[in-house]
Amino acid sequence: MVFVLKPGVSQHNIDHFTQKIESWGFKTFLSTGTEHTVICLIGNTAKIDVDSVVQMNDIVEYGKRVTEPYKAVNRTVHPEDTVVNAGGVPIVNGMFQVIAGPCSVESEEQIIEVARSVKASGATMLRGGAFKPRTSPYAFMGLGEEGLQLLLAAKRETGLPVVTEVMNQTQLPLFDDIDVIQVGARNMQNFDLLREVGRYNKPVLLKRGLANTLEELLMSAEYIMSGGNSQVILCERGIRTFETSTRNTLDLSAVPLLKQKTHLPVIVDPSHAAGIQTLVAPLARAAVAVGADGLMIETHNDPAQALSDGAQSLNLVQFKELMKDLKRRIDFEGKHIGTA
Amino acid sequence: MVFVLKPGVSQHNIDHFTQKIESWGFKTFLSTGTEHTVICLIGNTAKIDVDSVVQMNDIVEYGKRVTEPYKAVNRTVHPEDTVVNAGGVPIVNGMFQVIAGPCSVESEEQIIEVARSVKASGATMLRGGAFKPRTSPYAFMGLGEEGLQLLLAAKRETGLPVVTEVMNQTQLPLFDDIDVIQVGARNMQNFDLLREVGRYNKPVLLKRGLANTLEELLMSAEYIMSGGNSQVILCERGIRTFETSTRNTLDLSAVPLLKQKTHLPVIVDPSHAAGIQTLVAPLARAAVAVGADGLMIETHNDPAQALSDGAQSLNLVQFKELMKDLKRRIDFEGKHIGTA
Amino acid sequence: MVFVLKPGVSQHNIDHFTQKIESWGFKTFLSTGTEHTVICLIGNTAKIDVDSVVQMNDIVEYGKRVTEPYKAVNRTVHPEDTVVNAGGVPIVNGMFQVIAGPCSVESEEQIIEVARSVKASGATMLRGGAFKPRTSPYAFMGLGEEGLQLLLAAKRETGLPVVTEVMNQTQLPLFDDIDVIQVGARNMQNFDLLREVGRYNKPVLLKRGLANTLEELLMSAEYIMSGGNSQVILCERGIRTFETSTRNTLDLSAVPLLKQKTHLPVIVDPSHAAGIQTLVAPLARAAVAVGADGLMIETHNDPAQALSDGAQSLNLVQFKELMKDLKRRIDFEGKHIGTA
Amino acid sequence: MVFVLKPGVSQHNIDHFTQKIESWGFKTFLSTGTEHTVICLIGNTAKIDVDSVVQMNDIVEYGKRVTEPYKAVNRTVHPEDTVVNAGGVPIVNGMFQVIAGPCSVESEEQIIEVARSVKASGATMLRGGAFKPRTSPYAFMGLGEEGLQLLLAAKRETGLPVVTEVMNQTQLPLFDDIDVIQVGARNMQNFDLLREVGRYNKPVLLKRGLANTLEELLMSAEYIMSGGNSQVILCERGIRTFETSTRNTLDLSAVPLLKQKTHLPVIVDPSHAAGIQTLVAPLARAAVAVGADGLMIETHNDPAQALSDGAQSLNLVQFKELMKDLKRRIDFEGKHIGTA
């Protein structure tokens, strides 16, 4: 961390400031220029709020953190790509996995029909919501624990590993047989939940919040990793902007940028980002090309009947056609789908 | 809810669509124009996702919800202003309360010193964080349960009702003696927490999320009210925009707009919005003028030593001066501070 | 345009309102439901501001435009893809053109070296700024008219058609030999300039403004087309969001969405969007996959020496490598580069 | 400007980098710490793009501009408040002016009726659009030159100085008798227009762009002042955010922040920000309290008939009532309206 002092600060004030910093347990290094004096701090500065120091100390012109505030997720600390083992399916650079399934688990018939179909089309994991975050308290909240059981039935039927969303930490004991626990966009900064899934020994799919920066996403992953769980998958799913013609704005720049900064795998959810079914296929193709490690695609056996999020779901035939196309593209990128 | 069909749709398709809607339990009313056919739905449409219906049904040009999706918080349903009783202090239109205190409770001496001072200056409630949401897992997380005890000690000492933040529902039993439970910005759409505080018989201070619309804020309040708890205070605390010279952008338009739409009281937190201490006083003055029912102002006995959020805290002398000014303004507006 | 009236409006008020609308020159069609009365307007509603009508007429609950406000650019009016002839190079669905060159034309040697190199690598058009929009009045503003001459020299040398930015309408006479006139992001709603280039018989490259919706972009294209110039290329170049790790957020969803709504070709500028050189290649690959009709890529002979926008420029070797990769991808998509 | 180098950079590379910087005409000052080497640049760094230098030079960890890039508008350079003389009406800290009038000048009767009425209510300046920026090429564009003449007629009739918007620099000769030239939000970064009005000897009202930062607003003012025209009024009029319940989000924090950073007066336009008539009065009150130097309020003799922006206009009676209230508030702040 570096602080640049204002021009003409007295030696007395500089001494007072450096003593204060040292009282916090840091070493300081001072360099005196003709214009500005610069003070470098040495030590673990993660707990210091730079802005506070600048504004609370009149003699400081500005301050800046030189090193990133995240450690465990940082690629400079851990250069090799992390392999997340999602119920036997590796999510990692070089592979490309496709997670498909409905927004909500609705019935045993539905989830098994979808699971069989997406597996036949080439999906390598199954998704389905049992606990649903809904903006309105009057909307359908999912089947809850029964939904988890139906998902597991579909897993037994097809062998596909399953991913589903947890809404709060008291639900975690119910997730013992689930392969990947999803932390949704609205919970990306539910720090107590992050800490709790960090104590689990199970992969976590962490979705970027609607208004969260990439640094905040990495800090949330850091919460999980600092708890001892290094099996974290990051997911770009669109951010909130002024544009209203799509539900959210898919930020595909996030993929290569995250992969520079962290060793964790990064996947893309084009369905929630766009909110429009006709955009899912082109955005999925773009996600493959931009370097993502996988996709999460909403797929429903009868989107027109779905009361929630039908607008963004592919039907089973559309998904099959998309997979045919995506497999050619995964191959073109020299990547592999599945366990091979 | 109204759906406008595309021009030239066949009668067969119209019949098919209206039958589908009626199968969901709604009455339909059809009006046939020269250009467009319009279908109105009658019934409780809160559970329908308009966009899904439009996109999943080729014959529909667009759809729109005519009535707001929130009921209990809606002023049209409940025209009189709600009075929230915050430990004896009324938060309501016509009154103006000032909540002051530090970002974090740090020690008994600190919180009691701050509480005595802000009370002497005219604050009518005390705030202080015991459980702190922090972006970094390495930052100070608050004193936790001990912090709650210190807050209650300060309450006994000064008589000021206290407000403090809950981070997850398992903590709620610890809040029995707290006067107002705060749901923070990052938890505004933690729906399970909202539902849980809705079962409590205790005022809730609900902060607007950094990227949440006013309608979403009202829907989150609806979660709490639909659980049976009608003691909800809304708090505007700044939204995330492209502007970087302030931490967030305080949206003061939210105050009169919310007060048109709902009967719940609305307060403003200029400290977190601006993130800059010199902006707190002008924004507090603007909040009084724009029609807010109160303010929440971060105040610290020694901001320069605070490791978290010192940059936005007033010191005790600055707060005293601000209160002198605010009292004149509250008086000018014909409002009252305290219990009178 | 449809207006839904509030429940319980008197017949007298309904009559008064419909008479007012008819006095504006529209036919109205009324449908009376049990809950709401709906009024449809027939006629050219482009000049009506829906929000104004709703707010100025107490009896109206809401109003909505049923048809898009743009005509000439609308694909429903003109289903076939427009071919823009950029100095002999066709920009259109099915082809894929790559425009390369430096942010600013700096000297004859520089622009000719860059032009020769990018042509050898496979670029099909040359870009280079002569008039530069700069945030600071003290920054380098480009070589102006001399820059245009140097660009034309590079065109004579290499045969590459050239595209360069116009800053205001008085400069247009200087652009006679330029192949494509660029209207920059900051001028996307400079309506007088749009109208003026609409009177020219020369292709216009219209960049999306930093905070403009896709509908606004289409309306600006409509300005140009309504002046008689149908040779318009749309360009997505990133929008302004809260995210600060990239300069702007490239909105690739815009590409398929625009191509649904309009017949005009759509290209992507990943350089200005990202502002980071290492993101240009992955975003370029994504742009090919998402269905764009071309790319605009900043390329410089010596980025490290460039005082403006060096951070986002590829050097000539990087561009060559990228083109090798892009050609395989264009081929994969079944598209063609150049004039074939 | 300060650059912090990466740890472990060789002396050879440091020398190479400092030589490059010195070749650009700067002096450098080097300070070598145990962790990082820091290089300070001395000289006019306004023309350097910090990000480019950081990204183009592998050895640089980060760079930061220490001094603001604007000079003439900077309060540190010019601490006293600038007085803008708007046709005899002083716009400056300590005074508070109210500019009122219709969105568009529609007829002589209309503008004279409005001018007389707003003058009687206490407005000190008249606004009215003659050249109107409109998103759609089919919308009413204003009466143009005739509109300017009608405004001047209203000025002769009432003595109120007039402000109206210029759309491009070729129109400037028509503005000779206009008191204040408005540069609209969409032209805030029309740099050629800024430069041109900077050569005029006439006050300029510069509106903040919908997606422009405060630093960019100050840089645009710097364009005007660097041309020799120091009579600039800044105007906050709302920014574009994700919130859709108001047209734009009025950023009142901008007022105290701008007044810290610059000596120029700052006014607020609540009408365009909110886009909703019922929000204009509360936001106007907030603007007075937050420390603005004036207001610009859309006022129309018959808002219900206005085809453009009627939704946000006060009628003449509403304006009269608002002025009565505002005068008490201006008085409360110890400020003066008019020429006294």
Side-chain angles (χ1 to χ4, degrees):
Chain A
M1 189 168 288
V2 170
F3 293 105
V4 178
L5 306 189
K6 290 180 181 162
V9 172
S10 74
Q11 191 58 42
H12 174 78
N13 285 336
I14 295 176
D15 292 348
H16 182 79
F17 180 63
T18 53
Q19 281 158 22
K20 189 199 296 186
I21 290 172
E22 289 172 356
S23 77
W24 296 340
F26 299 97
K27 280 193 223 162
T28 60
F29 171 79
L30 200 78
S31 69
T32 312
T34 49
E35 248 198 352
H36 292 282
T37 294
V38 177
I39 297 178
C40 297
L41 266 69
I42 297 161
N44 177 2
T45 59
K47 64 185 174 219
I48 296 192
D49 177 5
V50 186
D51 292 343
S52 293
V53 176
V54 173
Q55 290 185 40
M56 285 302 102
N57 292 280
D58 275 354
I59 67 168
V60 182
E61 182 86 36
Y62 80 87
K64 182 89 174 51
R65 189 179 295 284
V66 181
T67 47
E68 282 107 355
Y70 42 87
K71 309 288 170 199
V73 305
N74 202 321
R75 194 180 272 281
T76 61
V77 173
H78 180 302
E80 319 79 53
D81 293 312
T82 282
V83 186
V84 173
N85 180 342
V89 171
I91 302 186
V92 63
N93 203 23
M95 302 295 295
F96 194 96
Q97 309 300 345
V98 180
I99 308 169
C103 180
S104 298
V105 179
E106 296 168 18
S107 69
E108 185 161 2
E109 299 69 43
Q110 174 237 21
I111 191 68
I112 287 182
E113 179 187 351
V114 173
R116 281 185 180 145
S117 176
V118 298
K119 187 185 183 188
S121 298
T124 47
M125 292 182 67
L126 178 67
R127 60 149 289 157
F131 300 100
K132 298 295 305 171
R134 301 300 304 268
T135 306
S136 164
Y138 309 120
F140 174 55
M141 300 288 164
L143 295 179
E145 201 169 340
E146 186 196 342
L148 294 182
Q149 293 310 317
L150 299 181
L151 258 187
L152 292 173
K155 176 186 174 178
R156 282 189 301 272
E157 189 69 25
T158 59
L160 290 178
V162 290
V163 51
T164 193
E165 181 167 354
V166 69
M167 293 273 292
N168 74 69
Q169 66 235 59
T170 67
Q171 296 167 344
L172 280 170
L174 304 172
F175 282 65
D176 267 359
D177 297 322
I178 298 298
D179 298 289
V180 177
I181 302 173
Q182 178 176 316
V183 174
R186 286 173 185 75
N187 274 323
M188 195 203 89
Q189 292 196 317
N190 182 338
F191 300 118
D192 286 3
L193 178 59
L194 296 176
R195 195 184 311 280
E196 213 59 48
V197 297
R199 293 189 186 126
Y200 256 61
N201 186 18
K202 198 177 274 301
V204 177
L205 174 62
L206 179 64
K207 289 195 148 189
R208 181 182 184 182
L210 278 77
N212 287 111
T213 63
L214 297 180
E215 182 168 310
E216 288 169 341
L217 174 60
L218 290 169
M219 290 308 290
S220 289
E222 184 83 11
Y223 259 89
I224 300 171
M225 286 195 72
S226 70
N229 184 349
S230 60
Q231 294 278 294
V232 182
I233 306 156
L234 304 176
C235 180
E236 162 62 31
R237 47 79 71 218
I239 57 174
R240 192 161 263 188
T241 71
F242 62 84
E243 177 60 69
T244 53
S245 64
T246 45
R247 184 185 300 170
N248 295 119
T249 298
L250 186 65
D251 177 13
L252 283 177
S253 321
V255 177
L257 206 56
L258 285 171
K259 292 184 75 71
Q260 285 173 24
K261 290 180 185 292
T262 184
H263 49 85
L264 298 172
V266 181
I267 71 169
V268 170
D269 174 349
S271 308
H272 283 86
I276 299 173
Q277 178 257 301
T278 55
L279 298 186
V280 172
L283 291 176
R285 292 193 274 265
V288 175
V290 89
D293 302 316
L295 280 164
M296 189 169 208
I297 293 178
E298 234 171 72
T299 318
H300 195 279
N301 51 333
D302 188 2
Q305 292 298 340
L307 282 185
S308 91
D309 281 346
Q312 70 200 31
S313 289
L314 300 188
N315 65 32
L316 299 176
V317 173
Q318 289 166 329
F319 180 73
K320 184 179 176 183
E321 282 162 19
L322 176 59
M323 279 306 295
K324 227 189 303 186
D325 181 30
L326 291 181
K327 281 185 216 161
R328 289 173 56 236
R329 292 173 186 271
I330 294 165
D331 195 51
F332 180 91
E333 303 295 341
K335 293 190 171 180
H336 303 281
I337 186 165
T339 51
Chain B
M1 191 168 289
V2 170
F3 294 105
V4 178
L5 306 189
K6 290 181 181 163
V9 172
S10 75
Q11 191 58 44
H12 174 78
N13 285 336
I14 294 176
D15 292 347
H16 182 78
F17 180 64
T18 53
Q19 282 157 22
K20 189 200 296 189
I21 290 172
E22 288 171 357
S23 77
W24 296 339
F26 298 98
K27 282 192 220 157
T28 59
F29 172 79
L30 200 78
S31 68
T32 312
T34 48
E35 247 197 354
H36 293 282
T37 296
V38 177
I39 297 178
C40 296
L41 268 68
I42 295 161
N44 177 4
T45 59
K47 64 186 174 220
I48 297 191
D49 177 7
V50 186
D51 291 344
S52 293
V53 176
V54 174
Q55 290 185 41
M56 287 302 102
N57 291 281
D58 274 355
I59 68 168
V60 181
E61 180 86 37
Y62 79 87
K64 182 91 173 52
R65 189 178 293 286
V66 181
T67 47
E68 282 104 357
Y70 42 87
K71 308 286 171 201
V73 305
N74 202 321
R75 194 180 272 280
T76 61
V77 174
H78 179 303
E80 320 77 53
D81 295 310
T82 282
V83 185
V84 172
N85 179 343
V89 170
I91 302 186
V92 63
N93 202 20
M95 303 296 294
F96 194 96
Q97 309 300 346
V98 180
I99 308 169
C103 180
S104 299
V105 178
E106 295 168 18
S107 68
E108 184 161 2
E109 299 69 43
Q110 175 237 20
I111 191 67
I112 288 183
E113 180 188 350
V114 172
R116 281 185 181 146
S117 177
V118 298
K119 186 184 184 190
S121 297
T124 47
M125 290 182 69
L126 179 66
R127 59 150 289 158
F131 299 100
K132 299 295 305 172
R134 301 302 303 268
T135 307
S136 164
Y138 308 120
F140 175 56
M141 300 287 165
L143 294 179
E145 202 169 339
E146 187 198 341
L148 295 182
Q149 293 310 318
L150 299 182
L151 259 186
L152 292 173
K155 177 186 175 180
R156 281 190 301 272
E157 189 68 27
T158 58
L160 291 178
V162 291
V163 51
T164 192
E165 183 167 354
V166 69
M167 293 273 292
N168 75 70
Q169 66 234 60
T170 67
Q171 295 166 346
L172 281 170
L174 303 172
F175 283 65
D176 267 359
D177 297 322
I178 298 298
D179 299 287
V180 177
I181 302 173
Q182 178 177 317
V183 174
R186 286 173 185 75
N187 274 323
M188 195 203 90
Q189 292 195 317
N190 182 337
F191 301 118
D192 285 3
L193 178 59
L194 296 175
R195 194 183 312 278
E196 213 57 48
V197 297
R199 291 187 188 127
Y200 257 62
N201 185 19
K202 198 178 274 302
V204 177
L205 175 62
L206 179 64
K207 289 194 150 191
R208 180 182 185 183
L210 278 77
N212 287 112
T213 63
L214 297 180
E215 183 169 308
E216 287 170 340
L217 174 61
L218 290 169
M219 290 308 289
S220 288
E222 185 83 11
Y223 260 89
I224 300 171
M225 286 194 72
S226 70
N229 183 349
S230 61
Q231 295 277 293
V232 182
I233 307 156
L234 304 176
C235 181
E236 162 62 29
R237 47 79 71 218
I239 57 174
R240 194 162 262 191
T241 70
F242 63 83
E243 176 61 69
T244 53
S245 63
T246 44
R247 183 184 300 169
N248 296 119
T249 298
L250 186 65
D251 177 12
L252 283 178
S253 320
V255 177
L257 206 56
L258 285 172
K259 292 184 75 71
Q260 285 172 23
K261 290 180 184 292
T262 183
H263 48 86
L264 297 172
V266 182
I267 70 170
V268 171
D269 174 349
S271 308
H272 283 85
I276 299 174
Q277 178 256 301
T278 55
L279 298 185
V280 172
L283 292 175
R285 291 192 275 264
V288 175
V290 89
D293 302 317
L295 280 164
M296 189 170 206
I297 294 178
E298 233 170 74
T299 318
H300 195 279
N301 51 332
D302 188 4
Q305 292 297 340
L307 283 185
S308 90
D309 280 346
Q312 70 199 32
S313 289
L314 299 189
N315 65 33
L316 300 176
V317 173
Q318 289 166 329
F319 180 73
K320 184 179 176 182
E321 282 162 19
L322 175 59
M323 279 306 296
K324 226 188 304 186
D325 181 30
L326 291 181
K327 281 185 216 162
R328 290 173 55 234
R329 291 172 186 272
I330 294 165
D331 194 53
F332 181 91
E333 303 294 342
K335 293 189 171 181
H336 303 282
I337 185 166
T339 51
Chain C
M1 191 168 288
V2 171
F3 293 105
V4 177
L5 305 189
K6 291 181 181 162
V9 173
S10 75
Q11 191 58 42
H12 174 78
N13 285 336
I14 294 176
D15 292 349
H16 182 78
F17 179 64
T18 53
Q19 281 157 23
K20 190 198 297 185
I21 290 171
E22 289 171 356
S23 78
W24 296 340
F26 299 97
K27 280 194 222 158
T28 60
F29 172 80
L30 199 79
S31 69
T32 311
T34 48
E35 247 197 355
H36 292 281
T37 296
V38 177
I39 297 178
C40 296
L41 267 69
I42 296 160
N44 177 3
T45 59
K47 64 184 174 220
I48 296 193
D49 176 6
V50 186
D51 291 344
S52 293
V53 177
V54 174
Q55 291 185 41
M56 287 300 102
N57 291 281
D58 274 355
I59 67 168
V60 181
E61 181 86 36
Y62 80 88
K64 182 92 173 52
R65 188 178 294 285
V66 180
T67 47
E68 281 107 355
Y70 42 89
K71 309 287 171 202
V73 305
N74 202 322
R75 194 180 272 280
T76 61
V77 174
H78 180 303
E80 320 78 52
D81 294 310
T82 282
V83 185
V84 173
N85 179 344
V89 171
I91 302 187
V92 63
N93 203 22
M95 302 296 294
F96 193 96
Q97 309 300 346
V98 180
I99 308 169
C103 179
S104 298
V105 178
E106 296 168 18
S107 69
E108 185 161 2
E109 298 72 42
Q110 175 237 19
I111 192 67
I112 288 183
E113 179 187 352
V114 172
R116 283 185 180 145
S117 177
V118 299
K119 187 185 184 189
S121 298
T124 47
M125 290 183 68
L126 178 66
R127 58 150 287 157
F131 299 100
K132 299 294 304 171
R134 301 301 303 269
T135 307
S136 163
Y138 309 120
F140 175 56
M141 300 287 164
L143 295 179
E145 203 169 340
E146 186 196 342
L148 295 181
Q149 293 310 317
L150 299 182
L151 259 186
L152 292 173
K155 176 186 177 180
R156 283 189 300 273
E157 188 69 26
T158 58
L160 291 177
V162 290
V163 51
T164 193
E165 181 166 354
V166 69
M167 293 272 292
N168 75 68
Q169 66 235 58
T170 67
Q171 296 167 343
L172 281 170
L174 303 171
F175 282 65
D176 267 359
D177 297 322
I178 298 298
D179 299 287
V180 177
I181 301 173
Q182 178 176 315
V183 174
R186 286 173 185 75
N187 274 324
M188 194 203 91
Q189 291 196 317
N190 182 338
F191 301 117
D192 285 3
L193 177 60
L194 295 175
R195 194 183 312 278
E196 213 57 47
V197 298
R199 292 189 187 127
Y200 257 60
N201 186 18
K202 197 177 273 301
V204 177
L205 174 62
L206 179 64
K207 289 196 148 189
R208 180 181 185 183
L210 278 77
N212 287 112
T213 62
L214 296 180
E215 182 169 309
E216 288 169 341
L217 173 61
L218 290 168
M219 290 307 291
S220 289
E222 185 83 10
Y223 259 89
I224 300 171
M225 286 196 71
S226 70
N229 183 349
S230 61
Q231 294 277 294
V232 182
I233 307 156
L234 304 177
C235 181
E236 161 63 29
R237 46 78 72 218
I239 57 173
R240 192 162 262 188
T241 71
F242 63 84
E243 177 61 70
T244 53
S245 63
T246 44
R247 185 185 298 170
N248 295 120
T249 298
L250 186 65
D251 177 13
L252 284 177
S253 321
V255 177
L257 205 56
L258 285 171
K259 291 184 76 71
Q260 285 174 23
K261 290 180 185 293
T262 184
H263 49 85
L264 297 172
V266 181
I267 69 168
V268 171
D269 174 350
S271 307
H272 283 86
I276 298 174
Q277 177 257 303
T278 56
L279 299 185
V280 173
L283 291 175
R285 292 192 274 264
V288 176
V290 90
D293 302 317
L295 280 164
M296 189 171 209
I297 293 178
E298 233 171 73
T299 318
H300 195 280
N301 51 333
D302 187 3
Q305 293 297 341
L307 283 185
S308 92
D309 281 345
Q312 70 200 32
S313 289
L314 299 189
N315 65 34
L316 300 176
V317 174
Q318 290 166 331
F319 180 73
K320 184 180 176 182
E321 282 162 19
L322 176 59
M323 280 305 296
K324 225 187 307 186
D325 181 31
L326 292 181
K327 281 184 217 163
R328 291 172 55 233
R329 292 173 186 272
I330 294 165
D331 194 51
F332 180 91
E333 303 294 341
K335 292 189 171 181
H336 303 282
I337 186 165
T339 52
Chain D
M1 191 169 286
V2 170
F3 294 105
V4 177
L5 306 189
K6 291 181 180 162
V9 173
S10 74
Q11 191 57 42
H12 173 77
N13 284 336
I14 295 175
D15 291 348
H16 182 79
F17 180 63
T18 53
Q19 281 158 23
K20 188 199 297 186
I21 290 172
E22 288 171 357
S23 78
W24 295 340
F26 299 97
K27 281 193 222 158
T28 60
F29 171 79
L30 200 78
S31 68
T32 312
T34 48
E35 247 197 354
H36 292 283
T37 295
V38 177
I39 297 177
C40 297
L41 267 68
I42 296 161
N44 178 3
T45 59
K47 63 186 174 219
I48 296 191
D49 177 6
V50 186
D51 292 345
S52 293
V53 176
V54 174
Q55 291 185 41
M56 286 302 103
N57 291 280
D58 275 355
I59 67 168
V60 182
E61 182 86 38
Y62 79 88
K64 182 93 176 47
R65 189 178 294 284
V66 180
T67 47
E68 282 105 356
Y70 42 87
K71 309 287 170 200
V73 305
N74 202 321
R75 195 180 271 281
T76 61
V77 174
H78 180 303
E80 319 78 53
D81 294 311
T82 282
V83 185
V84 172
N85 180 342
V89 170
I91 302 186
V92 62
N93 202 22
M95 302 297 294
F96 194 96
Q97 309 300 346
V98 180
I99 308 169
C103 179
S104 298
V105 179
E106 295 168 18
S107 69
E108 183 161 2
E109 299 68 45
Q110 174 236 21
I111 191 67
I112 287 183
E113 180 188 350
V114 172
R116 281 185 182 145
S117 177
V118 299
K119 187 185 183 188
S121 298
T124 47
M125 292 181 68
L126 179 67
R127 61 150 286 156
F131 300 100
K132 299 295 304 172
R134 300 302 303 268
T135 306
S136 163
Y138 309 120
F140 174 55
M141 300 287 165
L143 296 178
E145 201 169 340
E146 186 197 342
L148 294 181
Q149 293 310 317
L150 299 181
L151 259 187
L152 292 173
K155 176 187 175 179
R156 282 190 300 273
E157 189 69 26
T158 59
L160 290 178
V162 291
V163 52
T164 193
E165 182 167 355
V166 69
M167 293 274 291
N168 74 70
Q169 66 235 59
T170 67
Q171 295 167 344
L172 280 170
L174 304 172
F175 282 65
D176 267 359
D177 297 323
I178 299 299
D179 299 288
V180 177
I181 302 173
Q182 178 177 317
V183 174
R186 286 173 185 76
N187 275 323
M188 195 203 88
Q189 291 196 316
N190 182 337
F191 301 118
D192 286 2
L193 178 59
L194 295 176
R195 196 184 312 279
E196 213 57 49
V197 296
R199 293 190 186 125
Y200 257 60
N201 185 18
K202 197 178 274 301
V204 177
L205 175 62
L206 179 64
K207 289 196 150 190
R208 181 182 184 182
L210 278 76
N212 287 111
T213 62
L214 297 180
E215 184 169 308
E216 288 169 340
L217 174 60
L218 290 169
M219 290 308 290
S220 288
E222 184 84 9
Y223 260 89
I224 300 171
M225 285 195 72
S226 69
N229 183 349
S230 60
Q231 295 278 292
V232 182
I233 307 156
L234 304 176
C235 181
E236 162 62 30
R237 47 78 74 218
I239 57 174
R240 193 161 262 191
T241 70
F242 63 84
E243 176 61 69
T244 53
S245 63
T246 44
R247 182 184 300 169
N248 294 119
T249 298
L250 186 65
D251 177 13
L252 283 178
S253 321
V255 177
L257 206 57
L258 285 171
K259 291 185 75 71
Q260 285 172 23
K261 290 180 186 293
T262 183
H263 48 86
L264 297 172
V266 181
I267 71 169
V268 170
D269 174 349
S271 308
H272 283 85
I276 300 173
Q277 177 257 300
T278 55
L279 298 186
V280 172
L283 291 176
R285 291 192 275 264
V288 175
V290 90
D293 302 318
L295 280 163
M296 189 170 208
I297 293 178
E298 233 170 74
T299 318
H300 195 279
N301 52 332
D302 188 3
Q305 293 298 340
L307 282 186
S308 90
D309 282 345
Q312 70 200 31
S313 288
L314 300 188
N315 65 33
L316 299 177
V317 173
Q318 290 166 330
F319 181 73
K320 184 179 175 183
E321 282 162 20
L322 175 59
M323 279 306 295
K324 224 188 306 185
D325 181 30
L326 291 182
K327 281 185 216 161
R328 288 173 56 233
R329 292 172 186 272
I330 294 165
D331 195 51
F332 180 89
E333 303 294 341
K335 292 188 172 182
H336 302 282
I337 186 165
T339 51

